[in-house]
Amino acid sequence: MNQPREEVVLSVARVCTILGFEQSFILDAELRQRVAEICYFLDLAAAGDVGGYTVAEVGFLARSETRMLMGAWARGEDLPPSIEGWGEIRRSRSEIETRWQQELSDAGLRVKVPPLSIY
């Protein structure tokens, strides 16, 4: 949490790479979607803030959310609701996507924030 922003972004990029690769092998559709969602928000956080959370905070919450999900899955339990901070990020997804799309448009870019459903 007390690392320089550049180091945090590099760490987040590594986590995204690993989770993004691993999620493609997860057979449980709900777990795969939740892991893809974690990658999605980590990617957005690396470029700026997500719902008022810094990249370090999003990274910390993502780690906790991933551990909780993998633990429940390994025990054969239903996936639980999200941890407190991560749940807030998940509920704010449409506002976060809208804000990011506006920032891209304001910068003169024609790219669109990809919908989470494509992952």
Side-chain angles (χ1 to χ4, degrees):
M1 296 285 288
N2 294 325
Q3 296 175 316
R5 179 171 170 50
E6 297 78 27
E7 289 181 28
V8 173
V9 169
L10 183 59
S11 293
V12 164
R14 288 179 182 147
V15 169
C16 276
T17 301
I18 293 166
L19 280 178
F21 176 76
E22 293 294 332
Q23 68 91 22
S24 65
F25 296 104
I26 297 172
L27 298 179
D28 182 279
E30 183 183 4
L31 178 59
R32 184 175 53 250
Q33 185 65 22
R34 297 269 300 265
V35 170
E37 183 180 67
I38 289 167
C39 292
Y40 182 75
F41 285 124
L42 284 170
D43 187 34
L44 291 176
D49 79 295
V50 171
Y53 290 94
T54 66
V55 66
E57 291 169 323
V58 173
F60 182 81
L61 290 169
R63 181 180 70 180
S64 298
E65 181 79 357
T66 302
R67 286 179 174 167
M68 178 199 63
L69 291 172
M70 294 302 180
W73 175 77
R75 292 186 300 274
E77 300 172 358
D78 290 338
L79 298 181
S82 293
I83 61 173
E84 187 176 328
W86 194 259
E88 184 179 321
I89 291 171
R90 291 181 75 205
R91 287 187 296 278
S92 302
R93 188 175 92 209
S94 64
E95 294 90 23
I96 291 167
E97 290 172 337
T98 300
R99 185 174 60 246
W100 272 106
Q101 189 58 61
Q102 187 60 52
E103 286 185 31
L104 291 171
S105 297
D106 290 348
L109 301 173
R110 294 179 297 191
V111 297
K112 296 198 180 286
V113 173
L116 181 58
S117 61
I118 67 167
Y119 295 102

mmCIF file of all heavy atoms in Angstrom, residues 20-45:
data_model
loop_
_atom_site.group_PDB
_atom_site.id
_atom_site.type_symbol
_atom_site.label_atom_id
_atom_site.label_comp_id
_atom_site.label_asym_id
_atom_site.label_seq_id
_atom_site.Cartn_x
_atom_site.Cartn_y
_atom_site.Cartn_z
ATOM 1 N N GLY A 20 -6.248 -13.035 -15.688
ATOM 2 C CA GLY A 20 -6.857 -13.077 -17.008
ATOM 3 C C GLY A 20 -6.588 -14.391 -17.716
ATOM 4 O O GLY A 20 -7.465 -14.949 -18.381
ATOM 5 N N PHE A 21 -5.377 -14.893 -17.576
ATOM 6 C CA PHE A 21 -5.027 -16.185 -18.172
ATOM 7 C C PHE A 21 -5.747 -17.316 -17.444
ATOM 8 O O PHE A 21 -6.358 -18.183 -18.068
ATOM 9 C CB PHE A 21 -3.509 -16.392 -18.120
ATOM 10 C CG PHE A 21 -3.061 -17.722 -18.621
ATOM 11 C CD1 PHE A 21 -3.034 -17.998 -19.975
ATOM 12 C CD2 PHE A 21 -2.680 -18.721 -17.725
ATOM 13 C CE1 PHE A 21 -2.631 -19.245 -20.448
ATOM 14 C CE2 PHE A 21 -2.278 -19.964 -18.193
ATOM 15 C CZ PHE A 21 -2.248 -20.228 -19.551
ATOM 16 N N GLU A 22 -5.683 -17.303 -16.129
ATOM 17 C CA GLU A 22 -6.265 -18.387 -15.336
ATOM 18 C C GLU A 22 -7.781 -18.457 -15.469
ATOM 19 O O GLU A 22 -8.347 -19.549 -15.483
ATOM 20 C CB GLU A 22 -5.885 -18.228 -13.858
ATOM 21 C CG GLU A 22 -4.419 -18.410 -13.571
ATOM 22 C CD GLU A 22 -3.918 -19.819 -13.814
ATOM 23 O OE1 GLU A 22 -4.708 -20.774 -13.687
ATOM 24 O OE2 GLU A 22 -2.734 -19.964 -14.143
ATOM 25 N N GLN A 23 -8.444 -17.308 -15.572
ATOM 26 C CA GLN A 23 -9.907 -17.343 -15.625
ATOM 27 C C GLN A 23 -10.418 -18.076 -16.856
ATOM 28 O O GLN A 23 -11.511 -18.609 -16.855
ATOM 29 C CB GLN A 23 -10.509 -15.945 -15.502
ATOM 30 C CG GLN A 23 -10.266 -15.005 -16.639
ATOM 31 C CD GLN A 23 -11.346 -15.040 -17.712
ATOM 32 O OE1 GLN A 23 -12.474 -15.453 -17.465
ATOM 33 N NE2 GLN A 23 -10.992 -14.615 -18.893
ATOM 34 N N SER A 24 -9.610 -18.129 -17.891
ATOM 35 C CA SER A 24 -10.048 -18.831 -19.095
ATOM 36 C C SER A 24 -10.141 -20.343 -18.881
ATOM 37 O O SER A 24 -10.766 -21.042 -19.674
ATOM 38 C CB SER A 24 -9.119 -18.515 -20.265
ATOM 39 O OG SER A 24 -7.825 -19.007 -20.019
ATOM 40 N N PHE A 25 -9.540 -20.855 -17.821
ATOM 41 C CA PHE A 25 -9.579 -22.287 -17.526
ATOM 42 C C PHE A 25 -10.607 -22.650 -16.456
ATOM 43 O O PHE A 25 -10.793 -23.820 -16.159
ATOM 44 C CB PHE A 25 -8.196 -22.774 -17.074
ATOM 45 C CG PHE A 25 -7.163 -22.658 -18.146
ATOM 46 C CD1 PHE A 25 -6.219 -21.637 -18.105
ATOM 47 C CD2 PHE A 25 -7.137 -23.550 -19.209
ATOM 48 C CE1 PHE A 25 -5.260 -21.517 -19.100
ATOM 49 C CE2 PHE A 25 -6.187 -23.438 -20.212
ATOM 50 C CZ PHE A 25 -5.244 -22.422 -20.160
ATOM 51 N N ILE A 26 -11.252 -21.667 -15.877
ATOM 52 C CA ILE A 26 -12.234 -21.923 -14.818
ATOM 53 C C ILE A 26 -13.530 -22.391 -15.471
ATOM 54 O O ILE A 26 -14.092 -21.694 -16.320
ATOM 55 C CB ILE A 26 -12.470 -20.660 -13.964
ATOM 56 C CG1 ILE A 26 -11.173 -20.257 -13.254
ATOM 57 C CG2 ILE A 26 -13.587 -20.896 -12.952
ATOM 58 C CD1 ILE A 26 -11.252 -18.915 -12.539
ATOM 59 N N LEU A 27 -13.994 -23.562 -15.084
ATOM 60 C CA LEU A 27 -15.200 -24.123 -15.692
ATOM 61 C C LEU A 27 -16.479 -23.566 -15.077
ATOM 62 O O LEU A 27 -17.501 -23.496 -15.749
ATOM 63 C CB LEU A 27 -15.185 -25.653 -15.575
ATOM 64 C CG LEU A 27 -14.024 -26.344 -16.291
ATOM 65 C CD1 LEU A 27 -14.101 -27.846 -16.081
ATOM 66 C CD2 LEU A 27 -14.026 -26.003 -17.774
ATOM 67 N N ASP A 28 -16.438 -23.169 -13.822
ATOM 68 C CA ASP A 28 -17.607 -22.610 -13.153
ATOM 69 C C ASP A 28 -17.879 -21.210 -13.720
ATOM 70 O O ASP A 28 -17.071 -20.304 -13.565
ATOM 71 C CB ASP A 28 -17.354 -22.553 -11.643
ATOM 72 C CG ASP A 28 -18.548 -22.030 -10.881
ATOM 73 O OD1 ASP A 28 -18.712 -20.785 -10.837
ATOM 74 O OD2 ASP A 28 -19.308 -22.846 -10.337
ATOM 75 N N ALA A 29 -19.014 -21.044 -14.400
ATOM 76 C CA ALA A 29 -19.312 -19.794 -15.106
ATOM 77 C C ALA A 29 -19.388 -18.589 -14.162
ATOM 78 O O ALA A 29 -18.887 -17.506 -14.486
ATOM 79 C CB ALA A 29 -20.612 -19.926 -15.891
ATOM 80 N N GLU A 30 -20.005 -18.760 -13.007
ATOM 81 C CA GLU A 30 -20.137 -17.635 -12.071
ATOM 82 C C GLU A 30 -18.771 -17.207 -11.540
ATOM 83 O O GLU A 30 -18.470 -16.018 -11.484
ATOM 84 C CB GLU A 30 -21.061 -18.000 -10.906
ATOM 85 C CG GLU A 30 -21.293 -16.839 -9.952
ATOM 86 C CD GLU A 30 -22.155 -17.215 -8.753
ATOM 87 O OE1 GLU A 30 -22.533 -18.392 -8.598
ATOM 88 O OE2 GLU A 30 -22.424 -16.304 -7.949
ATOM 89 N N LEU A 31 -17.947 -18.168 -11.170
ATOM 90 C CA LEU A 31 -16.608 -17.847 -10.681
ATOM 91 C C LEU A 31 -15.775 -17.198 -11.787
ATOM 92 O O LEU A 31 -15.087 -16.207 -11.554
ATOM 93 C CB LEU A 31 -15.904 -19.096 -10.160
ATOM 94 C CG LEU A 31 -14.476 -18.908 -9.656
ATOM 95 C CD1 LEU A 31 -14.421 -17.895 -8.509
ATOM 96 C CD2 LEU A 31 -13.877 -20.239 -9.233
ATOM 97 N N ARG A 32 -15.868 -17.731 -12.995
ATOM 98 C CA ARG A 32 -15.116 -17.161 -14.121
ATOM 99 C C ARG A 32 -15.520 -15.707 -14.358
ATOM 100 O O ARG A 32 -14.687 -14.837 -14.554
ATOM 101 C CB ARG A 32 -15.342 -18.002 -15.380
ATOM 102 C CG ARG A 32 -14.514 -17.541 -16.561
ATOM 103 C CD ARG A 32 -14.650 -18.436 -17.775
ATOM 104 N NE ARG A 32 -16.032 -18.658 -18.173
ATOM 105 C CZ ARG A 32 -16.686 -19.816 -18.055
ATOM 106 N NH1 ARG A 32 -16.083 -20.874 -17.557
ATOM 107 N NH2 ARG A 32 -17.933 -19.930 -18.438
ATOM 108 N N GLN A 33 -16.818 -15.415 -14.290
ATOM 109 C CA GLN A 33 -17.299 -14.048 -14.494
ATOM 110 C C GLN A 33 -16.829 -13.124 -13.375
ATOM 111 O O GLN A 33 -16.428 -11.987 -13.628
ATOM 112 C CB GLN A 33 -18.823 -14.031 -14.603
ATOM 113 C CG GLN A 33 -19.403 -12.681 -14.931
ATOM 114 C CD GLN A 33 -19.009 -12.191 -16.310
ATOM 115 O OE1 GLN A 33 -18.655 -12.968 -17.189
ATOM 116 N NE2 GLN A 33 -19.052 -10.898 -16.515
ATOM 117 N N ARG A 34 -16.838 -13.613 -12.156
ATOM 118 C CA ARG A 34 -16.389 -12.780 -11.028
ATOM 119 C C ARG A 34 -14.900 -12.490 -11.130
ATOM 120 O O ARG A 34 -14.448 -11.383 -10.824
ATOM 121 C CB ARG A 34 -16.711 -13.459 -9.690
ATOM 122 C CG ARG A 34 -18.192 -13.684 -9.401
ATOM 123 C CD ARG A 34 -18.912 -12.590 -8.668
ATOM 124 N NE ARG A 34 -18.438 -12.257 -7.369
ATOM 125 C CZ ARG A 34 -18.923 -12.747 -6.220
ATOM 126 N NH1 ARG A 34 -19.885 -13.652 -6.225
ATOM 127 N NH2 ARG A 34 -18.433 -12.329 -5.072
ATOM 128 N N VAL A 35 -14.097 -13.477 -11.567
ATOM 129 C CA VAL A 35 -12.661 -13.260 -11.739
ATOM 130 C C VAL A 35 -12.417 -12.296 -12.905
ATOM 131 O O VAL A 35 -11.564 -11.404 -12.816
ATOM 132 C CB VAL A 35 -11.913 -14.594 -11.928
ATOM 133 C CG1 VAL A 35 -10.468 -14.373 -12.336
ATOM 134 C CG2 VAL A 35 -11.963 -15.416 -10.647
ATOM 135 N N ALA A 36 -13.184 -12.442 -13.985
ATOM 136 C CA ALA A 36 -13.064 -11.504 -15.107
ATOM 137 C C ALA A 36 -13.401 -10.085 -14.650
ATOM 138 O O ALA A 36 -12.751 -9.120 -15.057
ATOM 139 C CB ALA A 36 -13.980 -11.928 -16.254
ATOM 140 N N GLU A 37 -14.391 -9.960 -13.784
ATOM 141 C CA GLU A 37 -14.776 -8.658 -13.244
ATOM 142 C C GLU A 37 -13.628 -8.042 -12.428
ATOM 143 O O GLU A 37 -13.370 -6.841 -12.516
ATOM 144 C CB GLU A 37 -16.023 -8.839 -12.382
ATOM 145 C CG GLU A 37 -16.593 -7.572 -11.806
ATOM 146 C CD GLU A 37 -17.815 -7.886 -10.974
ATOM 147 O OE1 GLU A 37 -17.663 -8.530 -9.910
ATOM 148 O OE2 GLU A 37 -18.917 -7.494 -11.389
ATOM 149 N N ILE A 38 -12.947 -8.869 -11.660
ATOM 150 C CA ILE A 38 -11.805 -8.392 -10.880
ATOM 151 C C ILE A 38 -10.736 -7.842 -11.817
ATOM 152 O O ILE A 38 -10.213 -6.738 -11.604
ATOM 153 C CB ILE A 38 -11.253 -9.518 -9.974
ATOM 154 C CG1 ILE A 38 -12.241 -9.805 -8.840
ATOM 155 C CG2 ILE A 38 -9.876 -9.153 -9.412
ATOM 156 C CD1 ILE A 38 -11.969 -11.076 -8.069
ATOM 157 N N CYS A 39 -10.431 -8.578 -12.879
ATOM 158 C CA CYS A 39 -9.445 -8.109 -13.863
ATOM 159 C C CYS A 39 -9.887 -6.797 -14.499
ATOM 160 O O CYS A 39 -9.088 -5.886 -14.712
ATOM 161 C CB CYS A 39 -9.236 -9.150 -14.957
ATOM 162 S SG CYS A 39 -8.438 -10.647 -14.396
ATOM 163 N N TYR A 40 -11.150 -6.717 -14.815
ATOM 164 C CA TYR A 40 -11.734 -5.531 -15.453
ATOM 165 C C TYR A 40 -11.522 -4.285 -14.592
ATOM 166 O O TYR A 40 -11.035 -3.258 -15.073
ATOM 167 C CB TYR A 40 -13.218 -5.820 -15.672
ATOM 168 C CG TYR A 40 -14.020 -4.762 -16.369
ATOM 169 C CD1 TYR A 40 -13.903 -4.561 -17.739
ATOM 170 C CD2 TYR A 40 -14.960 -4.013 -15.673
ATOM 171 C CE1 TYR A 40 -14.683 -3.629 -18.396
ATOM 172 C CE2 TYR A 40 -15.741 -3.084 -16.321
ATOM 173 C CZ TYR A 40 -15.601 -2.895 -17.682
ATOM 174 O OH TYR A 40 -16.387 -1.969 -18.317
ATOM 175 N N PHE A 41 -11.862 -4.395 -13.317
ATOM 176 C CA PHE A 41 -11.708 -3.243 -12.433
ATOM 177 C C PHE A 41 -10.239 -2.938 -12.141
ATOM 178 O O PHE A 41 -9.866 -1.772 -11.999
ATOM 179 C CB PHE A 41 -12.489 -3.442 -11.137
ATOM 180 C CG PHE A 41 -13.966 -3.263 -11.299
ATOM 181 C CD1 PHE A 41 -14.840 -4.259 -10.928
ATOM 182 C CD2 PHE A 41 -14.494 -2.100 -11.826
ATOM 183 C CE1 PHE A 41 -16.210 -4.104 -11.072
ATOM 184 C CE2 PHE A 41 -15.858 -1.923 -11.980
ATOM 185 C CZ PHE A 41 -16.723 -2.935 -11.603
ATOM 186 N N LEU A 42 -9.405 -3.955 -12.042
ATOM 187 C CA LEU A 42 -7.970 -3.715 -11.854
ATOM 188 C C LEU A 42 -7.400 -2.958 -13.048
ATOM 189 O O LEU A 42 -6.601 -2.027 -12.887
ATOM 190 C CB LEU A 42 -7.215 -5.029 -11.662
ATOM 191 C CG LEU A 42 -7.346 -5.699 -10.307
ATOM 192 C CD1 LEU A 42 -6.745 -7.097 -10.347
ATOM 193 C CD2 LEU A 42 -6.702 -4.862 -9.218
ATOM 194 N N ASP A 43 -7.822 -3.338 -14.243
ATOM 195 C CA ASP A 43 -7.368 -2.668 -15.466
ATOM 196 C C ASP A 43 -7.786 -1.203 -15.463
ATOM 197 O O ASP A 43 -6.980 -0.309 -15.745
ATOM 198 C CB ASP A 43 -7.942 -3.397 -16.681
ATOM 199 C CG ASP A 43 -7.391 -2.877 -17.983
ATOM 200 O OD1 ASP A 43 -6.215 -2.477 -18.029
ATOM 201 O OD2 ASP A 43 -8.135 -2.877 -18.981
ATOM 202 N N LEU A 44 -9.037 -0.922 -15.124
ATOM 203 C CA LEU A 44 -9.505 0.466 -15.064
ATOM 204 C C LEU A 44 -8.781 1.245 -13.963
ATOM 205 O O LEU A 44 -8.426 2.406 -14.149
ATOM 206 C CB LEU A 44 -11.018 0.519 -14.839
ATOM 207 C CG LEU A 44 -11.900 0.041 -15.984
ATOM 208 C CD1 LEU A 44 -13.365 0.061 -15.568
ATOM 209 C CD2 LEU A 44 -11.692 0.883 -17.223
ATOM 210 N N ALA A 45 -8.535 0.595 -12.834
ATOM 211 C CA ALA A 45 -7.868 1.271 -11.715
ATOM 212 C C ALA A 45 -6.429 1.622 -12.045
ATOM 213 O O ALA A 45 -5.906 2.638 -11.576
ATOM 214 C CB ALA A 45 -7.917 0.391 -10.463
#
